[in-house]
Amino acid sequence: MVKKSRGKNISIKDIAQLCNVSVPTVSRVINQSGRYSEETERRVRKVIEETGYQPSVFARGLRTNCANNIGIIVPDITNEFFSSITLAIQNVLFEKSYTTMICNTNEQPTVQAKQLEMLKSSRVAGIIFISGEAITDEDLTDGIPKVFVDRLPWNAASKDVVTVEADNYTGGKIAANTLLESGCKHIVALFEARGLSTQIARYSGFIRAHQDYGLDVVKELYQPVAQVSFQEGYETICKLIKSKVPFDGICCYTDSLACGALSALAEAGISVPDQVQVTGFDDISMAKWAVPPVTTIAQPVKEMGRLAAELIFKMSKGEDIEQKQYTLPVELIKRKSTK
Amino acid sequence: MVKKSRGKNISIKDIAQLCNVSVPTVSRVINQSGRYSEETERRVRKVIEETGYQPSVFARGLRTNCANNIGIIVPDITNEFFSSITLAIQNVLFEKSYTTMICNTNEQPTVQAKQLEMLKSSRVAGIIFISGEAITDEDLTDGIPKVFVDRLPWNAASKDVVTVEADNYTGGKIAANTLLESGCKHIVALFEARGLSTQIARYSGFIRAHQDYGLDVVKELYQPVAQVSFQEGYETICKLIKSKVPFDGICCYTDSLACGALSALAEAGISVPDQVQVTGFDDISMAKWAVPPVTTIAQPVKEMGRLAAELIFKMSKGEDIEQKQYTLPVELIKRKSTK
């Protein structure tokens, strides 16, 4: 009889009755919170197994007001860099039996605000922002644990927030250095225009590398794009070629911009790396599989995701976080778009 | 006083008390289920606004046993085709104030089984499978509404399931036709090996196009790959080039395989499209931005996502679905990898 219903309409009370123990005892066994004998545990687990009883996440959420559910806010899930971090986070939380709610903002602050509200009303145990640059000060103080990965909120350093980022400054410096070392003198900086924390850090590294070489950065070669996409990379370089400003290198803020740039160069019959050398940033698949493959700065995506997940897990349990700000090392991946 | 606490610890009882109405009345206003005066509605909404009260999704979930939460099971969220469908689904459900839980299976049936269990114990109102080929018959009969997008469960047609797919047969036929029309006679079929519904349909179309041309499919040119990735596309074509089997076209199961193939051809100094022509499938960004850009079959990703979301929404409300199986048209996108 019991077996037939397989979990449907079976309550924790039924389990307690069938095991001849109290409801709190069943609850303690389910949550592995101790204070029961081995014999009791075996009996309860057996009945749960036989009946197919599934403890409701909702019931658990109401009781503990902590649903083992983490919200992840992502600007663009179709961007491989972001989806890879998301995946790494989800893999770690999955192992800990935490569920995740992934929200895509389309890089729109208004959508982000709405989703944030939704996550709050779902009483998530924590929120990981992948690129939470549009967060407000009010959002930071609502009591929900938060971890910021990649792009940081404005003035994050002074705001006692938990952050995980790659060493973007060193990344920008290494990328520019690679171009300078192999002879480039007129390097386009194909960056984004919004002044994100990652953009500022990478561009600072770009400038520093020029200083170390005793070279000035050329103003006309600073090319900010409104959106980070293949299309923008392509269009910007097409225009630059038409304008006849000479350049022999392109240092790109992302691999997507670099691949768009490659496309524009190929169309104009400009050979890479002989006439123009190109670097990207992120090491998405496309960098590896482009023709020619793109020299890029790899971010430790898995490690960033793992660390963010471990941090939010601890914070959701009310544990203290000793170190709050993490900057992880980047790595140069040399390929054929540079000499 | 009330304003200060902004939603914290404010319960539906507090709202009822402040409005001088009963708790069920507040609940009816929140859920817009009628049986209250305009005056009452205005009063309740005003107090909710002022207090910043947020109805708990958990409490709602327990009461109605339907959490306005949809699970989305995806094989690989870093694959742009899958993440684009996911995004389209989430955008539609977001408009309807539904939340989504996106679970990534890494194409592993054991992980899928675990996540399915997790979604069930979260009492989701429905599940959308993007490529649910590993689903069991038992899973199909657990009473939770399900919609399958893209790859279908085995024998889906005979199983009374709700499915949304692109016209993969026609897609495979058009792709092969494009190659045949521009003179290819020895076309490699770079397909996957697991016998997914999409693979079988596209390959059937490929064969049909050959028949229409009075040409036989060459057995040695059927190249099944264990995994759909750039790497596999690259390695398979490298091996084929070494084996000296002649070929003048490559019809790929996905754009990722096509881009891997392009990379192998470039390395071997084989010119595209002059010596070998290449087609892909899906129309991910990389197809557009590859050098040369890849001729491909575009799937109506947004439409597939929208339709799946509308269907699961209706099903979650207990509404009947008249038409259960949808096959949406595909489109040839001609680019420079074919003549």
Side-chain angles (χ1 to χ4, degrees):
Chain A
M1 261 306 275
V2 169
K3 259 204 157 171
K4 255 181 140 180
S5 56
R6 284 301 298 167
K8 274 205 185 157
N9 307 321
I10 298 257
S11 74
I12 193 165
K13 273 190 202 163
D14 300 327
I15 303 293
Q17 213 167 0
L18 287 163
C19 300
N20 203 17
V21 297
S22 71
V23 167
T25 301
V26 176
S27 170
R28 284 201 304 275
V29 170
I30 290 170
N31 297 311
Q32 296 180 281
S33 47
R35 284 180 293 141
Y36 43 79
S37 70
E38 266 183 48
E39 158 57 20
T40 302
E41 178 171 10
R42 210 175 304 125
R43 202 160 69 228
V44 172
R45 294 218 173 277
K46 191 159 169 265
V47 170
I48 287 176
E49 169 80 12
E50 281 175 6
T51 55
Y53 167 69
Q54 288 176 327
S56 161
V57 168
F58 291 120
R60 254 191 288 158
L62 265 188
R63 218 164 39 240
T64 63
N65 201 20
C66 148
N68 291 4
N69 190 2
I70 300 292
I72 305 179
I73 293 194
V74 198
D76 176 9
I77 210 169
T78 66
N79 173 328
E80 188 186 316
F81 171 68
F82 294 133
S83 60
S84 299
I85 295 185
T86 307
L87 182 57
I89 294 168
Q90 195 176 25
N91 284 345
V92 172
L93 291 176
F94 180 71
E95 286 300 315
K96 298 184 189 295
S97 295
Y98 267 47
T99 52
T100 44
M101 283 168 83
I102 302 171
C103 303
N104 190 91
T105 67
N106 284 335
E107 304 250 13
Q108 287 168 32
T110 49
V111 174
Q112 173 165 313
K114 249 191 165 178
Q115 285 178 329
L116 205 51
E117 209 178 285
M118 224 182 231
L119 288 176
K120 282 181 198 171
S121 93
S122 295
R123 308 250 162 109
V124 286
I127 302 176
I128 296 177
F129 287 84
I130 302 177
S131 300
E133 73 277 6
I135 197 96
T136 66
D137 278 359
E138 210 187 3
D139 291 329
L140 287 177
T141 52
D142 62 9
I144 299 175
K146 290 181 191 67
V147 173
F148 294 88
V149 188
D150 190 43
R151 303 179 201 156
L152 310 183
W154 284 87
N155 306 316
S158 63
K159 274 178 185 157
D160 193 37
V161 289
V162 178
T163 60
V164 176
E165 58 176 340
D167 187 347
N168 289 294
Y169 171 78
T170 304
K173 196 174 142 196
I174 296 174
N177 237 341
T178 306
L179 294 167
L180 291 162
E181 271 174 9
S182 45
C184 294
K185 291 206 158 45
H186 307 279
I187 305 176
V188 179
L190 189 55
F191 274 68
E192 68 87 45
R194 282 171 296 176
L196 305 174
S197 64
T198 46
Q199 184 258 320
I200 291 167
R202 290 177 205 172
Y203 192 60
S204 303
F206 176 88
I207 293 174
R208 177 78 216 179
H210 278 74
Q211 286 172 340
D212 289 350
Y213 258 78
L215 272 180
D216 280 337
V217 168
V218 185
K219 195 174 165 241
E220 299 87 77
L221 295 180
Y222 181 68
Q223 296 284 332
V225 295
Q227 240 195 329
V228 176
S229 67
F230 300 97
Q231 188 71 37
E232 291 270 353
Y234 170 78
E235 285 173 8
T236 307
I237 299 304
C238 281
K239 266 185 234 159
L240 202 63
I241 293 169
K242 266 194 202 144
S243 77
K244 313 254 176 185
V245 182
F247 63 92
D248 50 14
I250 310 177
C251 184
C252 301
Y253 172 64
T254 65
D255 290 334
S256 52
L257 288 171
C259 291
L262 281 187
S263 204
L265 294 168
E267 216 174 85
I270 297 171
S271 136
V272 177
D274 296 332
Q275 292 170 274
V276 171
Q277 301 184 53
V278 178
T279 59
F281 211 105
D282 292 347
D283 196 28
I284 61 173
S285 319
M286 197 154 169
K288 186 173 178 187
W289 298 107
V291 178
V294 179
T295 294
T296 192
I297 305 295
Q299 297 197 53
V301 168
K302 278 192 188 160
E303 181 57 15
M304 287 164 80
R306 191 199 58 75
L307 188 55
E310 299 283 358
L311 286 165
I312 203 79
F313 180 71
K314 275 190 191 167
M315 290 161 79
S316 77
K317 299 264 178 217
E319 288 177 32
D320 270 349
I321 301 297
E322 272 181 44
Q323 187 185 339
K324 291 197 170 172
Q325 308 195 336
Y326 296 82
T327 305
L328 306 181
V330 295
E331 190 191 349
L332 172 70
I333 311 285
K334 273 277 275 179
R335 297 203 182 99
K336 293 182 183 169
S337 67
T338 55
K339 283 182 197 161
Chain B
M1 262 304 277
V2 168
K3 261 207 155 170
K4 253 182 142 179
S5 56
R6 283 302 298 166
K8 273 204 184 157
N9 306 319
I10 298 258
S11 73
I12 192 164
K13 272 189 202 162
D14 299 328
I15 303 292
Q17 214 167 0
L18 287 163
C19 300
N20 204 16
V21 298
S22 71
V23 168
T25 302
V26 177
S27 170
R28 282 201 304 275
V29 171
I30 290 170
N31 296 311
Q32 295 179 280
S33 47
R35 284 180 294 141
Y36 43 79
S37 70
E38 266 185 46
E39 156 58 18
T40 302
E41 179 171 10
R42 211 175 304 124
R43 202 161 69 229
V44 171
R45 296 219 172 273
K46 189 159 171 268
V47 170
I48 287 177
E49 169 80 13
E50 280 174 4
T51 56
Y53 167 69
Q54 288 175 327
S56 161
V57 168
F58 290 120
R60 255 190 288 159
L62 263 186
R63 217 164 40 240
T64 63
N65 204 20
C66 149
N68 290 5
N69 190 2
I70 300 292
I72 305 178
I73 292 193
V74 197
D76 177 9
I77 210 169
T78 66
N79 175 327
E80 188 185 314
F81 171 69
F82 294 134
S83 59
S84 300
I85 295 184
T86 306
L87 181 58
I89 294 168
Q90 194 177 27
N91 284 345
V92 173
L93 291 176
F94 179 71
E95 286 300 315
K96 298 184 188 296
S97 295
Y98 266 47
T99 53
T100 44
M101 283 167 83
I102 302 170
C103 303
N104 189 91
T105 67
N106 285 335
E107 303 252 16
Q108 287 167 33
T110 49
V111 174
Q112 175 164 314
K114 252 190 163 179
Q115 286 177 330
L116 205 50
E117 210 177 284
M118 224 182 230
L119 288 176
K120 283 181 198 171
S121 93
S122 296
R123 310 249 162 110
V124 287
I127 302 176
I128 296 178
F129 288 84
I130 302 175
S131 299
E133 73 277 8
I135 196 98
T136 66
D137 279 0
E138 211 186 3
D139 291 329
L140 287 176
T141 52
D142 61 9
I144 299 174
K146 290 181 191 66
V147 172
F148 294 88
V149 188
D150 190 42
R151 304 179 200 156
L152 309 183
W154 283 87
N155 306 315
S158 63
K159 274 178 184 157
D160 192 36
V161 288
V162 178
T163 61
V164 176
E165 58 177 340
D167 187 347
N168 289 294
Y169 171 79
T170 303
K173 197 174 144 199
I174 295 174
N177 236 342
T178 306
L179 294 167
L180 291 162
E181 271 174 8
S182 45
C184 295
K185 292 208 154 47
H186 307 279
I187 304 176
V188 179
L190 188 56
F191 274 68
E192 68 87 45
R194 281 172 295 175
L196 305 174
S197 64
T198 46
Q199 185 258 320
I200 291 167
R202 291 177 204 173
Y203 192 60
S204 304
F206 176 87
I207 293 174
R208 178 76 216 179
H210 277 75
Q211 287 171 341
D212 289 351
Y213 258 80
L215 271 179
D216 281 336
V217 168
V218 186
K219 197 175 165 240
E220 298 89 75
L221 294 181
Y222 180 69
Q223 296 284 331
V225 294
Q227 242 195 325
V228 176
S229 67
F230 300 97
Q231 188 72 36
E232 291 269 351
Y234 169 77
E235 285 173 7
T236 307
I237 298 305
C238 282
K239 266 186 232 158
L240 203 63
I241 292 170
K242 265 194 201 144
S243 77
K244 315 253 176 185
V245 181
F247 63 92
D248 52 13
I250 310 178
C251 183
C252 302
Y253 172 65
T254 65
D255 290 333
S256 52
L257 288 171
C259 290
L262 281 188
S263 204
L265 295 168
E267 216 174 85
I270 297 171
S271 136
V272 178
D274 296 332
Q275 292 171 274
V276 171
Q277 300 184 54
V278 178
T279 60
F281 211 105
D282 290 347
D283 197 28
I284 61 173
S285 319
M286 197 153 169
K288 186 172 178 189
W289 297 107
V291 177
V294 180
T295 294
T296 192
I297 305 296
Q299 297 196 53
V301 169
K302 277 191 188 161
E303 182 57 16
M304 287 165 79
R306 191 200 57 74
L307 188 55
E310 299 284 358
L311 286 165
I312 204 79
F313 178 72
K314 276 191 191 164
M315 291 162 80
S316 77
K317 300 262 178 220
E319 288 176 31
D320 269 348
I321 301 297
E322 271 179 45
Q323 187 185 339
K324 291 196 171 176
Q325 308 194 336
Y326 296 82
T327 305
L328 306 182
V330 294
E331 188 193 348
L332 172 70
I333 312 286
K334 273 277 276 181
R335 298 205 181 98
K336 293 183 181 167
S337 67
T338 55
K339 282 180 199 164

